[in-house]
């Protein structure tokens, strides 16, 4: 057999490790004698040749000794010991040649020596291929001499991690756990198990690494290292699961594992950002007491930011000053966070101080910080400072946002500063930004308040061109003029709305109509009422009664005709009732009492009861002024029959009879007194019932009017603060006088000057602005 080698002598040294296992053994090989025992030998010599083909030397080959002598080999006829390095080198050579699979295992099974665990560890240490290392370990696990080693497992795990083979790391972890002998929480492979979990975590296998961690904890393994805990915490924090990281940290604390600087750097910011500020502060103080090194800047940054956002500004400022004392320079992010926290808490002066400190440190405020600072100053009414910052923002090259413009415009508008607000509005339009609805509303409100109709009309048309619905805003401006009593401006604005095709709602039309009626602008009020009626709006009894009240108070014949014309425009059934009430019986074809009863039967008392009381009060005023006492008494009688004034007359048997007119108008009170005294007279004279006393409860406003009317016929009533009272016997004698009978029957008007005395001034219930029924809710026209 020929074996060719290089000419270099150092290559000859490898002859010892070149085992010609594949050489042919002759069939006539004899049994080696003497020292060789029963071992096989070669009958042919092995010739070792150089590169040119010359013979270097010859001799008998390398072969195994007898079984059991695992650390010796036969070199020729000599039995020589095999060094661990040589054995490991042979194993490495085979592993590199065959790498994995049955070929590798078959060649390893034919080694001329029996390996030991030390040989395996040396071989694994020299193998760089993770696949070969893992295959070699799998072969060794089936050998009877195999003894698991923490160092061997660790070496293979390092190789697998370097190659990024996470699946093999997981499978090897399971094998290590099966080989481990857990006794009282301790195992022979703590380093390997920790490495496996660390590498699984570094590989991003969150579920797998946590499962392995829980599995070891269930097996009472308590030799986790700080690095293992840190790797799991880092993994969960990177996956956005801080509360799972806190669970790992709590297990770390419970196990007594020491914390290192990496643990502090991980946990303190995580606790702070998750809102567990007290726990973060405790860990921060613990890090300062245990570690000689100062806390890192990320820790200070996270604590300051979280404390500020949580509103704990004193603690945030204290940590900020401590950080400065430690030699750290604040970042622009920290400045922004601190300024935002102070400004949002309303501490604008402190925020401005940090703002100046930030600019002095060479940092440039960003767009968001400018925006927030300007809007905060504007909201607090510091408009001059906000304008200064706004100018600085433009000089810095930042284009203000619509919200910044809106904040400044709204604040200037709220302060009544029209010129700055309009300048900002025009600037906003020129930059191509679109104002919002609130911006337009605030601007139109201040323009309406300042009575700048032309400018308001221009802004409103621009708002309409921008796609906004302007009906509500225009109506709101109209209501501002109505509430102020500026009827001329309101009418001008209404005409502008009509020319621009902007509609308003019927409620506002009604309010403007009533305002014009109150200001005696009847020529302007009539078209408004026509618009109101033609838009299918309901003219209720309250609206008609308010017009009638103006007629009662009117003293000019021309205005009376205008008001009557307006009353006819309403087309309300009460107007036809008024017209019929003043006609003769031949035209009505029924008596007055029947005519009045028929009208009051058509009233919906559930909806219009208070409106009917208001109508009766004003109508009775009008009838008394017109001298129509019989018609007035019919109206009062029917109103009392329909229980519009249920507590006006009270009969306390034979003790006291009383009439309460405090809630009536002057005319209604006078009619009620005359009609009720007539009833009392009939009851006393016809039925012989005489009470002890009779009371007329008038209140302070009607006391003198009623007293003067009764004094004209020498009544026995005594006037007190709010009541007119007299004994029943005196009233009976008074009723027997013919003049009293004639007065109560109203055949001859008595003391008409008393009835006519300043009725338009003493009509509290007939004034249009006094209502007992709330106005209808506005219906916006879209």
């Amino acid at each position: 057999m020929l074996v060719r080698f290089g000419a270099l002598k150092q290559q000859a040294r490898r002859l010892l490790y070149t085992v010609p296992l594949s050489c042919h053994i002759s069939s006539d090989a004899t049994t080696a004698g003497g020292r060789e025992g029963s071992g096989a030998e070669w009958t042919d010599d092995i010739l070792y040749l150089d590169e040119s083909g010359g013979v270097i030397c010859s001799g008998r080959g390398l072969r195994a000794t007898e079984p059991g002598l695992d650390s010796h080999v036969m070199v020729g006829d000599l039995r020589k010991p095999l060094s661990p390095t040589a054995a490991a080198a042979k194993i490495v050579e085979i592993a590199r040649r065959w790498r994995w699979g049955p070929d590798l295992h078959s060649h390893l099974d034919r080694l001329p020596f029996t390996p030991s665990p030390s040989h395996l560890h040396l071989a694994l240490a020299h193998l760089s291929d993770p696949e070969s290392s893992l295959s070699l370990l799998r072969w060794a696990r089936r050998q009877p001499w195999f003894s698991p080693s923490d160092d061997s497992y660790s070496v293979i795990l390092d190789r697998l991690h370097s190659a990024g083979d996470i699946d093999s790391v997981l499978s090897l972890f399971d094998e290590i756990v099966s080989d481990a002998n857990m006794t009282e929480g301790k195992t022979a492979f703590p380093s390997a198990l920790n490495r496996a979990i660390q590498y699984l975590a570094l590989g991003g296998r969150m579920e797998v690494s946590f499962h392995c961690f829980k599995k070891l904890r269930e097996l009472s393994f308590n030799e986790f290292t700080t690095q293992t805990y840190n790797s799991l915490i880092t993994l969960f924090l990177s996956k956005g699961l801080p509360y799972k990281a806190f669970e790992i940290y709590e297990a770390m604390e419970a196990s007594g594992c020491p914390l290192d600087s990496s643990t502090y750097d991980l946990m303190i910011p995580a606790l702070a950002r998750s809102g567990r500020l007290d726990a973060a502060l405790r860990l921060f103080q613990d890090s300062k007491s245990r570690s000689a090194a100062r806390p890192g800047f990320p820790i200070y940054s996270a604590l300051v930011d979280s404390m500020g956002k949580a509103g704990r500004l004193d603690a945030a400022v204290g940590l900020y000053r401590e950080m400065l004392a430690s030699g750290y320079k604040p970042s622009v992010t920290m400045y922004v966070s601190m300024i935002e926290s102070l400004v949002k808490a309303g501490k604008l002066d402190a925020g401005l101080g940090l703002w100046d400190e930030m600019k002095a440190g060479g940092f440039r405020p960003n767009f968001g910080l400018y925006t927030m600072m300007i809007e905060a100053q504007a909201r607090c009414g510091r408009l001059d400072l906000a304008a200064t910052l706004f100018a600085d923002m433009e000089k810095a090259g930042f284009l203000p946002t619509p919200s910044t413009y809106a904040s400044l415009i709204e604040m200037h508008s709220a302060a009544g500063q029209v010129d700055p607000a309009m300048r900002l509005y025009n600037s906003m339009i020129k930059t191509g930004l679109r104002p919002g609805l609130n911006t337009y509303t605030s601007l139109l409100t201040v323009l309406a308040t300042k009575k700048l109709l032309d400018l308001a009309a221009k802004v409103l048309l621009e708002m309409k061109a921008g796609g906004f619905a302007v009906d509500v805003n225009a109506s709101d401006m109209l209501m501002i003029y109505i509430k102020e009593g500026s009827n001329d401006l309101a009418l001008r604005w209404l005409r502008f709305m009509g020319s621009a095709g902007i509609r308003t709602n019927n409620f506002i039309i009604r309010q403007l109509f009533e305002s014009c009626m109150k200001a005696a602008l009847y020529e302007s009020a009539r078209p408004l009422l026509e618009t109101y009626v033609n838009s299918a709006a309901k003219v209720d009894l309250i609206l008609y009664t308010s017009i009638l009240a103006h007629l009662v108070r009117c003293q000019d014949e021309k205005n009376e005709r205008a008001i009557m014309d307006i009353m006819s425009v309403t087309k309300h059934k009460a107007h036809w009732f008024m017209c019929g009430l003043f006609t003769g019986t031949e035209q009505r074809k029924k008596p007055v009492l029947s005519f009045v009863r028929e009208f009051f039967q058509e009233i919906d008392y559930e909806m219009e009861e208070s409106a009917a009381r208001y109508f009766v009060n004003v109508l009775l005023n009008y009838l008394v002024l017109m001298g129509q006492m019989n018609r007035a008494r019919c109206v009062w009688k029917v109103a009392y029959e329909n229980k519009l004034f249920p507590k006006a007359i009270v009969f306390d048997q034979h003790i006291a009879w009383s009439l309460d007119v405090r809630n009536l108008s002057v005319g209604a009170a006078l009619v009620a007194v005359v009609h009720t005294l007539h009833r009392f007279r009939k009851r006393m004279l016809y039925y012989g019932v005489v009470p002890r006393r009779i009371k007329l409860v008038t209140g302070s406003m009607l006391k003198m009017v009623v007293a003067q009317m009764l004094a004209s016929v020498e009544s026995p009533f005594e006037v007190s603060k709010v009541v007119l009272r007299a004994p029943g016997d005196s009233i009976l004698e008074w009723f027997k006088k013919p003049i009293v009978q004639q007065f109560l029957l109203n055949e001859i008007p008595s003391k008409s000057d008393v009835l006519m005395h300043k009725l338009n001034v003493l009509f509290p219930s007939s004034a249009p602005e006094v209502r007992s029924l709330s106005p209808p809710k506005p219906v916006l026209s879209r």
Side-chain angles (χ1 to χ4, degrees):
M1 180 177 294
L2 300 178
V3 179
R4 187 179 298 275
F5 287 88
L8 300 177
K9 292 183 179 180
Q10 55 266 33
Q11 292 181 347
R13 299 176 183 175
R14 299 178 54 194
L15 294 176
L16 180 62
Y17 307 120
T18 304
V19 183
L21 297 178
S22 59
C23 294
H24 173 71
I25 300 178
S26 175
S27 59
D28 58 348
T30 59
T31 302
R35 295 168 298 173
E36 296 181 4
S38 60
E41 64 179 55
W42 284 272
T43 56
D44 297 333
D45 291 339
I46 297 177
L47 299 178
Y48 298 96
L49 307 179
D50 57 15
E51 293 295 334
S52 60
V55 176
I56 298 176
C57 62
S58 64
R60 304 181 67 185
L62 182 70
R63 58 196 182 279
T65 62
E66 294 85 348
L69 301 176
D70 54 317
S71 59
H72 293 75
V73 292
M74 295 297 297
V75 180
D77 295 333
L78 299 178
R79 178 175 175 270
K80 294 185 177 181
L82 183 64
S83 67
T85 305
K90 185 60 183 176
I91 295 174
V92 169
E93 180 183 354
I94 296 175
R96 286 176 177 171
R97 173 66 180 83
W98 302 104
R99 298 190 62 185
W100 66 280
D103 291 336
L104 173 65
H105 294 175
S106 64
H107 282 80
L108 290 174
D109 289 338
R110 290 158 56 187
L111 282 172
F113 57 90
T114 303
S116 66
S118 61
H119 297 160
L120 176 65
H121 179 68
L122 286 174
L124 290 174
H126 286 83
L127 273 176
S128 59
D129 184 18
E131 186 178 21
S132 302
S133 302
L134 189 59
S135 184
L136 178 60
L137 178 67
R138 297 274 168 77
W139 170 79
R141 284 174 57 86
R142 297 196 298 269
Q143 307 305 316
W145 50 265
F146 177 73
S147 177
S149 168
D150 193 11
D151 294 337
S152 300
Y153 283 133
S154 300
V155 168
I156 297 178
L157 287 171
D158 293 340
R159 300 275 167 74
L160 294 174
H161 170 64
S162 300
D165 192 356
I166 305 301
D167 295 330
S168 298
V169 172
L170 178 60
S171 63
L172 185 57
F173 171 81
D174 295 332
E175 295 177 8
I176 297 173
V177 172
S178 64
D179 291 342
N181 181 19
M182 299 289 183
T183 57
E184 298 181 356
K186 294 184 178 181
T187 179
F189 318 117
S191 177
L193 292 173
N194 278 285
R195 285 172 186 261
I197 295 177
Q198 292 171 24
Y199 293 153
L200 288 172
L202 291 174
R205 299 292 184 90
M206 182 176 62
E207 295 86 353
V208 174
S209 59
F210 187 67
H211 169 74
C212 296
F213 174 74
K214 287 183 63 177
K215 183 176 181 179
L216 290 181
R217 291 191 67 189
E218 291 171 359
L219 295 174
S220 301
F221 180 77
N222 55 9
E223 296 183 71
F224 293 109
T225 63
T226 303
Q227 189 176 359
T228 301
Y229 283 115
N230 289 345
S231 62
L232 289 172
I233 292 172
T234 304
L235 175 63
F236 283 112
L237 291 178
S238 65
K239 297 293 184 180
L241 297 172
Y243 292 98
K244 210 65 180 175
F246 299 157
E247 181 181 337
I248 301 294
Y249 169 70
E250 290 170 359
M252 182 180 184
E253 279 193 326
S255 66
C257 184
L259 280 65
D260 61 1
S261 59
S262 299
T263 310
Y264 291 123
D265 293 340
L266 289 170
M267 288 307 303
I268 295 176
L271 289 170
R273 293 191 181 98
S274 64
R276 301 173 66 172
L277 300 179
D278 294 333
L281 284 176
R282 285 196 300 270
L283 195 60
F284 175 70
Q285 298 299 332
D286 182 67
S287 69
K288 293 195 296 184
S289 61
R290 292 188 180 183
S291 177
R294 61 179 181 175
F297 177 77
I299 293 178
Y300 280 111
S301 178
L303 287 174
V304 170
D305 181 64
S306 301
M307 291 291 176
K309 290 179 178 177
R312 300 170 65 169
L313 297 179
D314 294 338
V317 173
L319 288 167
Y320 173 75
R321 300 303 176 192
E322 180 181 336
M323 182 197 70
L324 293 178
S326 299
Y328 290 114
K329 182 180 179 181
S331 64
V332 64
T333 306
M334 179 175 289
Y335 274 124
V336 171
S337 174
M338 285 290 295
I339 294 173
E340 285 182 353
S341 300
L342 292 171
V343 170
K344 289 179 181 178
K347 298 185 176 182
L348 299 183
D349 293 333
L352 280 175
L354 275 180
W355 174 280
D356 296 335
E357 185 178 330
M358 174 183 179
K359 295 178 70 176
F363 292 111
R364 178 189 179 192
N366 58 19
F367 170 77
L369 198 58
Y370 264 119
T371 301
M372 184 201 65
M373 184 66 75
I374 292 171
E375 294 179 4
Q377 300 295 337
R379 283 194 299 268
C380 293
R382 298 182 174 185
L383 298 179
D384 295 337
L385 185 56
T388 303
L389 292 172
F390 183 80
D392 292 342
M393 180 179 183
E394 289 183 323
K395 292 177 182 177
F398 294 118
L399 177 66
T401 63
S403 64
T404 306
Y405 274 114
S407 177
L408 289 173
I409 293 173
E410 291 170 14
M411 291 301 108
H412 281 291
S413 299
Q417 300 179 6
V418 178
D419 293 339
M422 285 303 301
R423 280 198 301 269
L424 288 166
Y425 170 75
N426 293 328
S427 174
M428 185 177 186
I429 296 297
K430 290 178 181 178
T431 55
L433 298 177
R434 181 187 178 190
L437 181 61
N438 292 334
T439 305
Y440 275 120
T441 301
S442 61
L443 192 58
L444 289 172
T445 301
V446 70
L447 292 175
T449 304
K450 299 296 183 180
K451 299 180 175 56
L452 300 172
L453 263 69
D454 296 336
L455 195 56
K458 172 181 174 294
V459 173
L460 190 70
L461 292 176
E462 291 176 355
M463 178 182 177
K464 184 179 180 181
F468 290 99
V470 298
D471 295 352
V472 175
N473 295 84
S475 299
D476 290 343
M477 291 186 63
L478 187 57
M479 279 301 299
I480 292 175
Y481 297 133
I482 293 173
K483 290 179 180 179
E484 291 180 352
S486 304
N487 295 312
D488 295 336
L489 295 176
L491 292 170
R492 282 181 55 193
W493 185 255
L494 185 62
R495 287 193 293 271
F496 159 73
M497 290 174 61
S499 63
I502 302 172
R503 300 179 58 187
T504 186
N505 56 65
N506 290 326
F507 173 76
I508 296 179
I509 294 293
R510 178 171 174 169
Q511 295 294 316
L512 182 55
F513 165 75
E514 294 180 356
S515 179
C516 289
M517 289 294 294
K518 185 178 179 181
L521 300 174
Y522 303 120
E523 294 181 358
S524 301
R526 191 181 190 281
L528 292 172
L529 185 60
E530 289 177 347
T531 304
Y532 184 78
V533 173
N534 294 333
S535 62
K538 181 182 178 181
V539 179
D540 54 12
L541 188 56
I542 285 183
L543 180 58
Y544 182 82
T545 306
S546 66
I547 302 173
L548 179 60
H550 286 289
L551 180 63
V552 172
R553 298 169 65 92
C554 183
Q555 297 178 357
D556 187 356
E557 183 178 355
K558 181 181 178 181
N559 291 337
E560 284 182 357
R561 292 178 181 177
I563 294 173
M564 289 180 181
D565 186 33
I566 291 172
M567 292 172 67
S568 64
V569 172
T570 61
K571 300 179 182 180
H572 194 271
K573 59 184 178 180
H575 185 66
W576 310 124
F577 168 72
M578 289 283 295
C579 294
L581 190 63
F582 283 93
T583 59
T585 307
E586 296 79 8
Q587 294 176 332
R588 282 196 310 268
K589 298 180 181 180
K590 60 183 67 175
V592 175
L593 187 60
S594 301
F595 182 70
V596 174
R597 280 175 176 161
E598 183 179 341
F599 171 73
F600 277 91
Q601 286 174 359
E602 297 176 359
I603 296 176
D604 184 3
Y605 290 99
E606 291 184 0
M607 300 294 294
E608 297 182 325
E609 181 178 354
S610 57
R613 281 197 293 268
Y614 178 39
F615 177 70
V616 168
N617 275 296
V618 177
L619 178 59
L620 290 177
N621 269 341
Y622 182 66
L623 292 174
V624 169
L625 283 175
M626 298 298 293
Q628 303 294 325
M629 291 299 295
N630 285 330
R631 289 178 170 84
R633 290 177 71 168
C634 289
V635 172
W636 169 257
K637 183 177 181 178
V638 175
Y640 186 77
E641 288 175 355
N642 287 277
K643 298 181 181 179
L644 289 177
F645 307 98
K647 297 180 181 181
I649 302 174
V650 178
F651 294 99
D652 190 3
Q653 297 182 359
H654 303 305
I655 300 174
W657 297 348
S658 64
L659 170 66
D660 190 346
V661 296
R662 287 176 295 180
N663 295 325
L664 302 179
S665 63
V666 175
L670 297 177
V671 174
V673 168
V674 173
H675 184 76
T676 305
L677 288 178
H678 179 63
R679 287 187 60 186
F680 287 172
R681 179 179 179 277
K682 290 174 60 177
R683 194 179 184 94
M684 294 172 68
L685 293 179
Y686 295 165
Y687 301 107
V689 180
V690 180
R692 294 181 186 177
R693 60 184 177 275
I694 292 178
K695 296 191 300 182
L696 301 178
V697 184
T698 60
S700 59
M701 296 187 65
L702 299 174
K703 176 180 63 174
M704 296 309 299
V705 176
V706 176
Q708 290 176 10
M709 180 188 70
L710 295 178
S712 64
V713 288
E714 300 176 353
S715 71
F717 285 95
E718 296 179 357
V719 181
S720 64
K721 291 184 178 180
V722 293
V723 178
L724 278 70
R725 62 166 56 89
D729 296 337
S730 302
I731 294 294
L732 180 61
E733 295 300 326
W734 182 61
F735 281 156
K736 293 178 182 179
K737 295 179 180 182
I739 189 173
V740 176
Q741 180 183 359
Q742 186 180 21
F743 169 69
L744 296 179
L745 290 176
N746 198 28
E747 293 178 357
I748 302 175
S750 60
K751 295 293 183 180
S752 60
D753 57 331
V754 175
L755 300 178
M756 298 291 294
H757 179 63
K758 296 183 179 179
L759 287 178
N760 57 333
V761 179
L762 300 175
F763 287 169
S765 298
S766 63
E769 62 272 11
V770 178
R771 302 287 193 273
S772 57
L773 185 66
S774 299
K777 294 182 179 179
V779 180
L780 299 181
S781 300
R782 295 188 180 275

